[in-house]
């Protein structure tokens, strides 16, 4: 077991005194303990020592109840609905409310809906009463998470500084280099992500000419279980189109300020795989195949929906969802919620890992420790922090022991050290595909965002280039290649990983043979853009509301 894995497990065990988390057994520990591969996922859930669950100050009305599947009465069976109902009905009545099973998750857990919100103390008592049942492995609050990104403007390839190699000239800082990820060097080797499949767990897709070719038709799925959050009237279905995640003041918690739709999943998809077609922007992996597991909508996304989306993307079966005919090689999760990794998140990740998926997640945009962010604090994932054009930590990026690598994430708001004044420049952001609709869908366009949400798909795209070069790579091998070939930060950074990803060097480290270069028409256009629109600034700090909602980071 590597030192980082030991560190994560030790930290998680210590924190169980006061926070909700799961006992995580990493893949290397699986071999050490002699657990047969076909029993591994079941053992993880069954052996969770019932944790003390944190409850939001506002209370909660949705919970996730996981069951031990080695008991005499296997409550994970679909036919055991009445037995599952008996587990949480009486504890709910004790708190003056009624509980119903909304649905089952990928691992047989119940998503439980109460008929009104319990305050914090009553919710804690409900959890304690349910966890007292000998058939229960753990209880989670079904929290909410959101996307973390900063908004907008207008693009083309010359603005994509993040794809360039490190250079000595920086238009925003005299005497400091411009620190891109050297994706151009990897393209020169001839790799484009061909044959690699990426699932994007996010807000869903919009129709965009730069994404159409590389988006697998009919492969995406909408995992948002509630129609109001989904805005498509039916909840879960096979239409994963983004219907807009805008909301009014106060709709997503008493302190929520309201915002326009972000079209976050579309922006993430463009960074990974926008077509090199002499239009718009150039994606990191121009020939990758992508699809969306939509889990974020109005007011973010529920833990239960996100965990199912992760498991399904890897190839696991989820009740009510069709079989995934395109299990992902890579899963991109540019999202996050507050708190240490919950058992529900970890179970979803374990299911996808077991199926062979490599999961890459954002560190978060709160300028805090990744230890307090999920899924960044989960095991079995690669965690990406964000840097600015000067090769330093981006102002918003989280940091911590969990961070595996840093990558350009944009930083449009900065201090100009020539006059010590704060300034804003959209060309310091990460340009990608978007939509101009303020609420509902408008027209396809291109704009820059900032965030670990942008750094993460850049790393996912580079991982796709590496997998084309060497399809047998594990997540650990991808991590190791990126870490050992990383470019040093321009100044020492604390807990941001070993450095900034270097795409060319990482691909060279795993190449098994010299590839043939791609045809010249696939290379991105480099004409100068003269039409630049002023970007609208969006806050990078995202607050988690009641249920665990994950957002784009």
């Amino acid at each position: 077991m590597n030192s980082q894995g030991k560190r994560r497990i030790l930290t998680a065990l210590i924190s169980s005194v006061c926070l909700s988390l799961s006992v995580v057994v990493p893949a290397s520990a699986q071999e050490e303990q002699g657990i047969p591969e076909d029993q591994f996922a079941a053992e993880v859930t069954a052996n969770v020592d019932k944790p003390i669950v944190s409850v939001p100050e506002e209370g909660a009305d949705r919970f996730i109840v996981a069951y031990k599947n080695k008991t005499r009465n296997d409550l994970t069976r679909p036919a055991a609905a009445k037995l599952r109902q008996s587990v949480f009905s009486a504890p709910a009545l004790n708190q003056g409310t009624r509980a119903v099973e909304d649905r089952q998750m990928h691992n047989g857990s119940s998503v439980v809906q109460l008929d009104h919100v319990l305050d914090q103390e009553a919710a804690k008592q409900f959890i304690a009463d349910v966890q007292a049942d000998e058939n229960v492995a753990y209880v989670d609050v079904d929290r909410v998470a959101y996307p973390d990104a900063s908004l907008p403007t207008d693009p083309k390839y010359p603005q994509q500084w993040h794809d360039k190699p490190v250079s000595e000239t920086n238009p925003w800082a005299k005497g400091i280099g411009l620190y891109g990820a050297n994706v151009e060097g990897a393209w020169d080797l001839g790799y484009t992500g061909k044959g690699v499949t990426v699932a994007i767990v996010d807000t869903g897709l919009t129709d965009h000419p730069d994404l159409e070719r590389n988006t697998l038709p009919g492969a995406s799925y909408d995992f948002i279980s509630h129609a109001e959050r989904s805005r498509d009237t039916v909840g879960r279905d096979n239409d994963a189109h983004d219907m807009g995640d805008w909301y009014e003041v106060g709709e997503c918690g008493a302190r929520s300020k309201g915002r326009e739709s972000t079209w976050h999943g579309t922006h993430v998809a463009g960074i990974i795989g926008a077509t090199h077609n002499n239009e718009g922007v150039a994606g990191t992996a121009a020939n990758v195949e992508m699809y969306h597991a939509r889990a974020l909508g109005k007011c973010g996304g529920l833990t239960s929906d996100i965990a199912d989306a992760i498991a399904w993307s890897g190839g696991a079966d989820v009740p009510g969802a069709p079989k995934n005919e395109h299990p992902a090689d890579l899963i991109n999760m540019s999202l996050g919620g507050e708190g240490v990794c919950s058992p529900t998140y970890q179970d979803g990740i374990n299911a996808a890992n077991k199926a062979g998926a490599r999961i890459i997640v954002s560190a978060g945009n709160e300028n805090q420790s990744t230890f307090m962010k999920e899924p960044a604090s989960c095991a079995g994932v690669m965690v990406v922090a964000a840097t600015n054009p000067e090769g330093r930590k981006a102002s918003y990026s989280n940091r911590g022991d969990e961070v595996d690598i840093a990558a350009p994430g944009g930083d449009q708001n900065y201090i100009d050290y020539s006059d010590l004044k704060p300034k804003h420049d959209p060309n310091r952001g990460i340009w990608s595909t978007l939509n101009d609709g303020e609420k509902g869908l408008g027209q396809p366009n291109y704009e820059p965002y900032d965030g670990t949400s942008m750094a993460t798909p850049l790393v996912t795209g580079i991982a796709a280039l590496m997998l084309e070069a060497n399809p047998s790579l594990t997540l650990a091998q991808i991590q190791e290649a990126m870490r050992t070939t990383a470019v040093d930060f321009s100044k020492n950074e604390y807990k941001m990983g070993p450095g900034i990803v270097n795409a060319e060097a990482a691909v060279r480290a795993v190449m098994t043979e010299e590839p043939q270069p791609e045809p010249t028409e696939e290379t991105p256009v480099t004409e100068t853009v003269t039409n630049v629109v002023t970007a609208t600034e969006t806050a990078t700090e995202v607050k988690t509301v009641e249920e665990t909602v994950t957002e784009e980071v």
Side-chain angles (χ1 to χ4, degrees):
M1 181 188 297
N2 60 39
S3 60
Q4 188 177 23
K6 291 178 179 176
R7 196 162 55 241
R8 288 181 180 169
I9 293 171
L10 180 59
T11 308
L13 288 172
I14 293 171
S15 67
S16 66
V17 175
C18 58
L19 294 167
S20 167
L21 53 93
S22 62
V23 176
V24 176
V25 184
S28 54
Q30 175 186 344
E31 296 174 0
E32 293 171 10
Q33 296 179 17
I35 301 173
E37 185 176 352
D38 60 349
Q39 297 179 17
F40 179 54
E43 290 292 334
V44 171
T45 299
N47 290 336
V48 170
D49 187 14
K50 298 174 185 178
I52 299 173
V53 180
S54 63
V55 177
E57 290 182 6
E58 318 89 89
D61 65 349
R62 284 177 65 86
F63 301 85
I64 299 165
V65 180
Y67 305 101
K68 299 174 182 176
N69 49 15
K70 293 256 177 131
T71 59
R72 183 181 57 183
N73 297 319
D74 182 2
L75 300 192
T76 64
R77 294 177 295 114
K82 288 185 178 179
L83 287 174
R84 291 194 298 275
Q85 186 72 34
S86 68
V87 170
F88 43 80
S89 286
L93 290 172
N94 289 343
Q95 302 304 322
T97 185
R98 294 183 181 276
V100 296
E101 182 180 72
D102 189 43
R103 60 183 178 81
Q104 278 190 280
M105 293 182 63
H106 66 95
N107 57 356
S109 299
S110 296
V111 178
V112 177
Q113 178 70 60
L114 306 187
D115 64 11
H116 69 262
V117 175
L118 299 180
D119 65 29
Q120 191 177 47
E121 290 307 311
K124 287 180 179 178
Q125 187 59 56
F126 172 76
I127 290 168
D129 290 347
V130 175
Q131 286 190 153
D133 191 299
E134 64 178 6
N135 294 301
V136 172
Y138 61 80
V139 180
D140 259 343
V141 177
D142 196 5
R143 298 175 179 270
V144 181
Y146 300 87
D148 297 341
S150 281
L151 294 176
T153 330
D154 172 301
K156 298 272 190 207
Y157 185 69
Q159 278 66 41
Q160 292 181 240
W161 60 269
H162 59 278
D163 286 331
K164 318 287 186 185
V166 177
S167 67
E168 294 181 1
T169 305
N170 184 323
W172 302 289
K174 223 178 236 187
I176 300 177
L178 185 62
Y179 283 73
N182 194 16
V183 179
E184 286 184 350
W187 293 339
D188 287 343
L189 297 174
Y191 293 110
T192 61
K194 189 174 182 179
V196 179
T197 302
V198 178
I200 302 167
V201 179
D202 214 293
T203 63
L205 71 151
T206 63
D207 296 327
H208 198 291
D210 239 355
L211 300 175
E212 184 178 3
R213 193 193 74 180
N214 290 343
T215 301
L216 284 168
S220 300
Y221 193 76
D222 182 359
F223 278 92
I224 301 177
S225 52
H226 287 179
E228 182 181 0
R229 192 180 296 276
S230 180
R231 284 201 167 104
D232 65 0
T233 72
V234 293
R236 289 189 173 187
D237 61 15
N238 60 4
D239 183 359
H241 276 85
D242 189 342
M243 306 305 292
D245 58 356
W246 61 273
Y247 52 83
E248 304 291 355
V249 174
E251 278 196 298
C252 299
R255 290 172 287 184
S256 63
K257 297 179 179 179
R259 71 173 185 195
E260 297 176 356
S261 290
T262 64
W263 314 112
H264 191 269
T266 296
H267 202 273
V268 166
I271 297 170
I272 295 171
T275 310
H276 294 191
N277 56 2
N278 295 327
E279 291 182 19
V281 295
T284 310
N287 287 318
V288 77
E289 293 184 326
M290 303 181 291
Y291 63 86
H292 294 254
R294 185 180 181 225
L296 306 182
K298 175 185 175 182
C299 302
L302 297 172
T303 299
S304 55
D305 290 341
I306 294 163
D308 274 352
I310 298 167
W312 181 86
S313 296
D317 291 332
V318 174
K323 181 177 179 59
N324 186 353
E325 301 295 340
H326 304 277
D329 300 303
L330 294 161
I331 299 175
N332 188 95
M333 296 178 63
S334 291
L335 49 79
E338 297 297 329
V340 176
C341 184
S342 68
T344 303
Y345 257 110
Q346 194 62 63
D347 273 358
I349 290 166
N350 289 346
N353 286 162
K354 185 168 183 274
R358 303 119 174 126
I359 304 174
I360 302 178
V361 308
S362 50
N365 296 347
E366 293 76 26
N367 192 25
Q368 67 180 31
S369 171
T370 47
F371 172 67
M372 291 303 297
K373 191 82 171 178
E374 60 177 359
S377 58
C378 295
V381 300
M382 183 175 184
V383 181
V384 183
T387 54
N388 63 21
E390 289 71 50
R392 301 293 308 277
K393 172 187 171 296
S395 57
Y396 50 81
S397 181
N398 291 347
R399 64 172 98 211
D401 291 333
E402 291 76 17
V403 173
D404 293 295
I405 196 71
D411 213 352
Q412 297 175 55
N413 300 309
Y414 70 108
I415 300 295
D416 186 338
Y417 287 101
S418 66
D419 57 13
L420 297 180
K421 291 182 178 179
K423 294 184 179 177
H424 176 86
D425 188 337
N427 288 322
R428 289 171 58 89
I430 306 298
W431 287 91
S432 187
T433 47
L434 211 69
N435 189 280
D436 68 7
E438 294 182 2
K439 291 186 176 180
L441 280 164
Q443 296 301 311
N445 71 342
Y446 304 88
E447 295 185 13
Y449 278 6
D450 297 340
T452 54
S453 272
M454 286 61 253
T456 302
L458 178 57
V459 170
T460 298
I462 294 169
L465 305 182
M466 296 169 70
L467 282 173
E468 182 190 0
N470 188 343
S472 65
L473 292 173
T474 64
L475 180 63
Q477 290 169 329
I478 292 171
Q479 288 171 311
E480 181 65 14
M482 288 188 182
R483 290 173 63 87
T484 55
T485 60
V487 172
D488 291 339
F489 300 107
S490 60
K491 290 186 179 179
N492 288 338
E493 290 288 357
Y494 178 64
K495 293 190 174 182
M496 285 282 288
I500 302 167
V501 66
N502 180 337
E504 179 185 359
V507 171
R508 285 189 181 279
V510 300
M511 281 170 53
T512 56
E513 59 183 28
E514 287 289 334
Q516 295 299 313
E518 288 290 312
T520 56
E521 61 264 28
E522 284 294 311
T523 57
V525 67
T526 58
E527 75 261 22
T528 304
V529 178
T530 56
N531 179 25
V532 178
V533 181
T534 304
T536 305
E537 181 181 333
T538 302
T540 53
E541 295 83 1
V542 183
K543 304 295 182 185
T544 301
V545 286
E546 206 164 334
E547 310 171 70
T548 298
V549 181
T550 304
E551 29 173 299
E552 313 97 326
V553 260

